[in-house]
PDB file of all heavy atoms in Angstrom:
ATOM      1  N   SER A 634     -77.088 -51.451 -93.617  1.00 46.00           N
ATOM      2  CA  SER A 634     -77.661 -51.552 -92.282  1.00 46.00           C
ATOM      3  C   SER A 634     -77.823 -53.003 -91.859  1.00 46.00           C
ATOM      4  O   SER A 634     -77.922 -53.901 -92.697  1.00 46.00           O
ATOM      5  CB  SER A 634     -79.029 -50.858 -92.256  1.00 46.00           C
ATOM      6  OG  SER A 634     -78.918 -49.506 -92.607  1.00 46.00           O
ATOM      7  N   GLY A 635     -77.889 -53.221 -90.539  1.00 48.00           N
ATOM      8  CA  GLY A 635     -78.200 -54.528 -90.013  1.00 48.00           C
ATOM      9  C   GLY A 635     -77.116 -55.556 -90.225  1.00 48.00           C
ATOM     10  O   GLY A 635     -77.412 -56.713 -90.524  1.00 48.00           O
ATOM     11  N   SER A 636     -75.852 -55.153 -90.119  1.00 72.00           N
ATOM     12  CA  SER A 636     -74.747 -56.068 -90.332  1.00 72.00           C
ATOM     13  C   SER A 636     -74.058 -56.359 -89.005  1.00 72.00           C
ATOM     14  O   SER A 636     -74.133 -55.568 -88.071  1.00 72.00           O
ATOM     15  CB  SER A 636     -73.757 -55.474 -91.324  1.00 72.00           C
ATOM     16  OG  SER A 636     -74.411 -55.168 -92.539  1.00 72.00           O
ATOM     17  N   TRP A 637     -73.356 -57.497 -88.954  1.00 81.00           N
ATOM     18  CA  TRP A 637     -72.865 -57.977 -87.675  1.00 81.00           C
ATOM     19  C   TRP A 637     -71.418 -58.408 -87.756  1.00 81.00           C
ATOM     20  O   TRP A 637     -70.941 -58.860 -88.798  1.00 81.00           O
ATOM     21  CB  TRP A 637     -73.709 -59.168 -87.207  1.00 81.00           C
ATOM     22  CG  TRP A 637     -75.163 -58.868 -87.133  1.00 81.00           C
ATOM     23  CD1 TRP A 637     -76.094 -59.053 -88.118  1.00 81.00           C
ATOM     24  CD2 TRP A 637     -75.866 -58.291 -86.035  1.00 81.00           C
ATOM     25  NE1 TRP A 637     -77.326 -58.644 -87.700  1.00 81.00           N
ATOM     26  CE2 TRP A 637     -77.217 -58.175 -86.410  1.00 81.00           C
ATOM     27  CE3 TRP A 637     -75.480 -57.882 -84.759  1.00 81.00           C
ATOM     28  CZ2 TRP A 637     -78.189 -57.657 -85.573  1.00 81.00           C
ATOM     29  CZ3 TRP A 637     -76.448 -57.368 -83.911  1.00 81.00           C
ATOM     30  CH2 TRP A 637     -77.780 -57.257 -84.316  1.00 81.00           C
ATOM     31  N   ALA A 638     -70.720 -58.248 -86.637  1.00 89.00           N
ATOM     32  CA  ALA A 638     -69.380 -58.796 -86.450  1.00 89.00           C
ATOM     33  C   ALA A 638     -69.426 -59.696 -85.225  1.00 89.00           C
ATOM     34  O   ALA A 638     -70.278 -59.528 -84.348  1.00 89.00           O
ATOM     35  CB  ALA A 638     -68.369 -57.672 -86.254  1.00 89.00           C
ATOM     36  N   MET A 639     -68.494 -60.636 -85.157  1.00 92.00           N
ATOM     37  CA  MET A 639     -68.427 -61.548 -84.015  1.00 92.00           C
ATOM     38  C   MET A 639     -67.036 -61.511 -83.407  1.00 92.00           C
ATOM     39  O   MET A 639     -66.034 -61.644 -84.118  1.00 92.00           O
ATOM     40  CB  MET A 639     -68.755 -62.976 -84.442  1.00 92.00           C
ATOM     41  CG  MET A 639     -70.172 -63.196 -84.941  1.00 92.00           C
ATOM     42  SD  MET A 639     -71.441 -62.880 -83.692  1.00 92.00           S
ATOM     43  CE  MET A 639     -71.095 -64.180 -82.512  1.00 92.00           C
ATOM     44  N   ASN A 640     -66.972 -61.310 -82.088  1.00 95.00           N
ATOM     45  CA  ASN A 640     -65.733 -61.461 -81.325  1.00 95.00           C
ATOM     46  C   ASN A 640     -65.993 -62.568 -80.309  1.00 95.00           C
ATOM     47  O   ASN A 640     -66.531 -62.318 -79.227  1.00 95.00           O
ATOM     48  CB  ASN A 640     -65.348 -60.154 -80.633  1.00 95.00           C
ATOM     49  CG  ASN A 640     -64.089 -60.300 -79.803  1.00 95.00           C
ATOM     50  OD1 ASN A 640     -63.273 -61.193 -80.046  1.00 95.00           O
ATOM     51  ND2 ASN A 640     -63.915 -59.421 -78.829  1.00 95.00           N
ATOM     52  N   GLY A 641     -65.646 -63.786 -80.687  1.00 94.00           N
ATOM     53  CA  GLY A 641     -66.025 -64.916 -79.856  1.00 94.00           C
ATOM     54  C   GLY A 641     -67.540 -65.031 -79.811  1.00 94.00           C
ATOM     55  O   GLY A 641     -68.207 -65.108 -80.839  1.00 94.00           O
ATOM     56  N   ALA A 642     -68.091 -64.989 -78.602  1.00 91.00           N
ATOM     57  CA  ALA A 642     -69.546 -65.068 -78.448  1.00 91.00           C
ATOM     58  C   ALA A 642     -70.210 -63.704 -78.482  1.00 91.00           C
ATOM     59  O   ALA A 642     -71.439 -63.612 -78.424  1.00 91.00           O
ATOM     60  CB  ALA A 642     -69.880 -65.776 -77.129  1.00 91.00           C
TER      61      ALA A 642
END
Side-chain angles (χ1 to χ4, degrees):
S634 301
S636 303
W637 304 92
M639 295 297 294
N640 178 23

